[in-house]
Amino acid sequence: AQSVTQPDIHITVSEGASLELRCNYSYGATPYLFWYVQSPGQGLQLLLKYFSGDTLVQGIKGFEAEFKRSQSSFNLRKPSVHWSDAAEYFCAVGSGGYQKVTFGTGTKLQVIP
Amino acid sequence: EPEVTQTPSHQVTQMGQEVILRCVPISNHLYFYWYRQILGQKVEFLVSFYNNEISEKSEIFDDQFSVERPDGSNFTLKIRSTKLEDSAMYFCASRQNQGSGEKLFFGSGTQLSVL
């Protein structure tokens, strides 16, 4: 069965600092991988996705993620964090087909001035 | 960008009561989903729906749950007799087709509180 692990429950970074959120997945075949962001009171917004091709994926809001098959990882990065990036971030893996998506437990990002 | 709309944003109910959570998926979408997120836990898949029938459901989605697309625009989740542990944020999602490039659009959620 597919699964996702986000080892960091809570991360605090200073505004302007770089960010890396970790994600490890377990899936038998080539995975469909996603990062979603959830701001307080909001729904889930897709930041980026990986299905195939270039392993470095660019997303919205200046985020990128790199798929590393050998490490079963799909870490999210941003070179310079803004205060508005404070939110909860979810890594997810999709099964293809009807695309049932399995989410990780989330990483809550706090940005300090 | 098109949106999935969910109403109400917050619903409070008594244990044992029936609730219906409503969703309006994006108009040309064909695949519909419900997910839920219990406070402090991860987002969990409940059910997927295509061509007027359930295509996949999780073990959470027991006989107390049902989904319906009553009128071609709404997509509802009914909980027949709510339990305290049904308290969660419920997300509706939709996507256009089965292609791998298709994005899953989520609504902003309905917070269900069972007292």
Side-chain angles (χ1 to χ4, degrees), chain A residues 2-4 25-27 31-34 91-95 100-104:
Chain A
Q2 61 199 44
S3 67
V4 177
Y25 68 89
S26 173
Y27 186 67
Y32 298 150
L33 294 162
F34 311 85
C91 182
V93 60
S95 61
K100 170 185 156 184
V101 177
T102 298
F103 287 83

Side-chain angles (χ1 to χ4, degrees), chain A residues 5-113:
Chain A
T5 302
Q6 292 180 250
D8 303 305
I9 297 172
H10 197 168
I11 282 184
T12 301
V13 299
S14 298
E15 191 169 15
S18 64
L19 172 71
E20 182 167 29
L21 303 183
R22 295 183 291 165
C23 171
N24 292 95
Y25 68 89
S26 173
Y27 186 67
T30 300
Y32 298 150
L33 294 162
F34 311 85
W35 274 99
Y36 285 87
V37 60
Q38 183 183 23
S39 298
Q42 303 294 311
L44 294 161
Q45 182 183 24
L46 181 68
L47 284 176
L48 47 79
K49 62 185 187 289
Y50 170 79
F51 291 142
S52 64
D54 192 347
T55 56
L56 185 62
V57 181
Q58 301 297 320
I60 62 170
K61 305 185 180 188
F63 286 92
E64 67 177 26
E66 186 170 13
F67 170 59
K68 292 186 177 178
R69 184 186 297 276
S70 62
Q71 298 175 20
S72 296
S73 69
F74 188 58
N75 295 346
L76 181 72
R77 300 194 294 249
K78 186 169 184 178
S80 177
V81 169
H82 188 261
W83 64 267
S84 60
D85 294 323
E88 190 153 20
Y89 292 80
F90 293 92
C91 182
V93 60
S95 61
Y98 289 115
Q99 206 174 69
K100 170 185 156 184
V101 177
T102 298
F103 287 83
T105 49
T107 297
K108 196 161 288 187
L109 174 66
Q110 183 180 10
V111 180
I112 56 177

Side-chain angles (χ1 to χ4, degrees), chain B:
Chain B
E1 186 167 77
E3 286 186 346
V4 173
T5 306
Q6 288 187 245
T7 55
S9 58
H10 195 174
Q11 180 147 2
V12 181
T13 190
Q14 295 289 327
M15 189 171 59
Q17 295 296 304
E18 175 183 285
V19 294
I20 298 177
L21 308 183
R22 303 182 190 280
C23 169
V24 179
I26 294 168
S27 61
N28 62 345
H29 284 193
L30 302 175
Y31 295 81
F32 313 108
Y33 305 81
W34 282 100
Y35 287 78
R36 78 171 186 191
Q37 183 183 26
I38 295 171
L39 186 65
Q41 299 184 24
K42 62 183 176 183
V43 178
E44 302 170 291
F45 169 79
L46 292 179
V47 65
S48 59
F49 189 86
Y50 169 71
N51 200 25
N52 283 319
E53 60 184 25
I54 291 173
S55 46
E56 190 172 1
K57 60 183 180 179
S58 72
E59 59 190 25
I60 302 168
F61 195 88
D62 61 21
D63 292 344
Q64 291 299 310
F65 291 88
S66 62
V67 290
E68 195 177 30
R69 190 155 160 78
D71 57 12
S73 63
N74 290 284
F75 179 53
T76 61
L77 174 70
K78 183 193 291 186
I79 308 175
R80 226 176 309 279
S81 176
T82 51
K83 303 188 284 285
L84 295 177
E85 54 265 36
D86 293 327
S87 295
M89 177 75 89
Y90 287 81
F91 291 103
C92 174
S94 71
R95 65 188 179 96
Q96 188 172 26
N97 62 41
Q98 201 170 318
S100 61
E102 283 302 309
K103 181 168 116 171
L104 196 60
F105 288 79
F106 283 86
S108 56
T110 294
Q111 179 68 55
L112 176 64
S113 299
V114 182
L115 306 178

